[in-house]
Amino acid sequence: MESVHAHWAGAFDVVQDVEGWQEFRRLDTELLMPPFTDGLADMAQMTAGVRATWTASSGRLTLKAEGTADCSPIDVLVDGQLAHRIAAAGRLSHTLELGTLPAGAKVQLWLPQFGRVRVLHASLQGEDVQSVQESGKRWLAYGSSITHCREAAGPSETWPALVARKLGWELQSLGFAGECQLDPAAARTIQRLPADVISLCLGINSYNAAAFSLRSYASQVLGFISNILTAHPDVPLVVITPVLSLPREATPNAVGATLADYREATAGVVAHLQRQSGEARIHLVDGGAVLTEAEALAHMPDTLHPDNAGYRLMAERLGPRLAAAAANGPKD
């Protein structure tokens, strides 16, 4: 029986030390500025969206890894269905007998979306085992904790993972909890990665941290998007304004702006690019309408982050909008 090692997708870079431990980076680190961007660097070492895929007609999955105490679990899917969910905190060594599978069955290993994990060994042994290079549309999904999705039950149930699995897309998750602040390192990463569709969910971290006044925020968003458009001249780009957060909608932050103000400013930048620069390939999604007020009350226990059911609702609402943008490309 063949044994095939994991070929990782969804990471900007995989670093291996002399002992064979693999660690993962989701950002180009050239424009990180320690100590100012240490929080972003920490989030970029988390493995949201990082996965390996094989096909096989039978299988034994072997995994040796080590995760921090705050790690989300590891998911193993067979033909898109969750087959195993493994606790990832601490040192782990697992052998999973998948048994006889349908011919050409797809086996996926999803690393934790939150917490830091390193992998010593990951392989699938069995009949007709092959490592699969994903071939769907390449989707770069940039955003905050609401894209990072710590609250999802597992890495295959984040809203970007749900959308990517349904549409057959190749996901590159650039969700950074608390760190979606339009950093040059994030822009550089998006500029360097190949893409067929790009989504940017902007505004909530800037509101929470009062990082920008509305005047500086609009300029930062304009520059961030413009640089990405220059690097990807033919790629549809979807800008998602902040998802509803009821206590923040009309409450001014330390620079005197409400969440509704940041939503309006984000939409204003998109309208400016569409109108003044002729950038018709930009698509705007009103994040405030993705969940209703009743759904926000029911599925945001902390008033900010959706729960697992809330992320499923987000996937159901955002998936068709993203698919339409990717299919249509630039608007007429």
Side-chain angles (χ1 to χ4, degrees):
M1 292 192 298
E2 296 179 85
S3 181
V4 178
H5 288 273
H7 174 82
W8 301 109
F12 183 85
D13 193 20
V14 181
V15 180
Q16 183 167 306
D17 68 16
V18 293
E19 296 179 341
W21 287 96
Q22 294 178 316
E23 295 187 343
F24 304 85
R25 305 288 185 271
R26 291 186 294 133
L27 276 181
D28 181 347
T29 60
E30 289 181 7
L31 293 182
L32 292 176
M33 300 179 292
F36 308 107
T37 55
D38 286 353
L40 177 60
D42 182 55
M43 292 298 150
Q45 292 179 68
M46 297 185 180
T47 50
V50 178
R51 64 218 176 267
T53 306
W54 300 264
T55 56
S57 57
S58 69
R60 176 187 298 120
L61 184 65
T62 302
L63 176 65
K64 296 180 180 180
E66 184 176 52
T68 54
D70 58 350
C71 257
S72 302
I74 294 167
D75 283 354
V76 179
L77 278 62
V78 177
D79 281 338
Q81 300 299 312
L82 183 64
H84 298 276
R85 178 160 282 161
I86 305 165
R91 184 72 65 94
L92 61 98
S93 180
H94 276 278
T95 300
L96 301 176
E97 296 290 348
L98 303 179
T100 301
L101 302 170
K106 184 167 75 171
V107 177
Q108 280 195 316
L109 173 67
W110 287 74
L111 295 180
Q113 79 269 25
F114 196 86
R116 290 177 59 177
V117 67
R118 60 179 189 155
V119 176
L120 182 62
H121 179 89
S123 67
L124 185 66
Q125 183 181 32
E127 299 292 336
D128 306 315
V129 177
Q130 294 185 31
S131 178
V132 174
Q133 183 78 37
E134 297 180 14
S135 58
K137 287 186 182 294
R138 297 162 296 188
W139 172 30
L140 311 183
Y142 175 65
S144 66
S145 56
I146 301 172
T147 299
H148 200 153
C149 304
R150 179 180 188 176
E151 295 76 17
S156 65
E157 295 188 74
T158 68
W159 79 259
L162 291 169
V163 169
R165 287 167 51 206
K166 184 175 180 61
L167 298 178
W169 287 1
E170 183 180 344
L171 171 66
Q172 194 94 20
S173 177
L174 298 173
F176 305 111
E179 295 291 340
C180 180
Q181 298 288 14
L182 308 166
D183 287 276
R188 172 72 66 84
T189 300
I190 296 169
Q191 288 171 294
R192 290 189 60 184
L193 287 169
D196 297 301
V197 61
I198 299 168
S199 65
L200 311 173
C201 190
L202 307 178
I204 185 62
N205 285 162
S206 297
Y207 167 84
N208 283 337
F212 304 105
S213 68
L214 290 178
R215 185 255 184 261
S216 59
Y217 174 76
S219 291
Q220 288 292 322
V221 171
L222 179 62
F224 190 84
I225 294 177
S226 295
N227 287 334
I228 291 168
L229 292 172
T230 299
H232 295 285
D234 300 314
V235 176
L237 186 145
V238 181
V239 179
I240 307 168
T241 63
V243 174
L244 200 65
S245 178
L246 297 175
R248 296 166 177 81
E249 292 298 321
T251 302
N253 63 5
V255 295
T258 67
L259 185 59
D261 292 332
Y262 283 94
R263 188 178 296 116
E264 182 179 1
T266 307
V269 172
V270 173
H272 171 79
L273 284 167
Q274 291 171 333
R275 182 178 60 251
Q276 300 293 334
S277 305
E279 288 291 359
R281 62 198 166 104
I282 305 178
H283 304 257
L284 180 70
V285 173
D286 179 8
V290 173
L291 300 177
T292 67
E293 289 192 12
E295 288 167 342
L297 286 168
H299 296 297
M300 288 183 170
D302 64 355
T303 75
L304 179 61
H305 301 98
D307 58 16
N308 198 63
Y311 283 130
R312 286 194 170 273
L313 286 172
M314 287 187 65
E316 290 172 11
R317 275 76 184 269
L318 290 173
R321 300 291 298 273
L322 290 162
N328 296 333
K331 296 178 182 177
D332 294 331

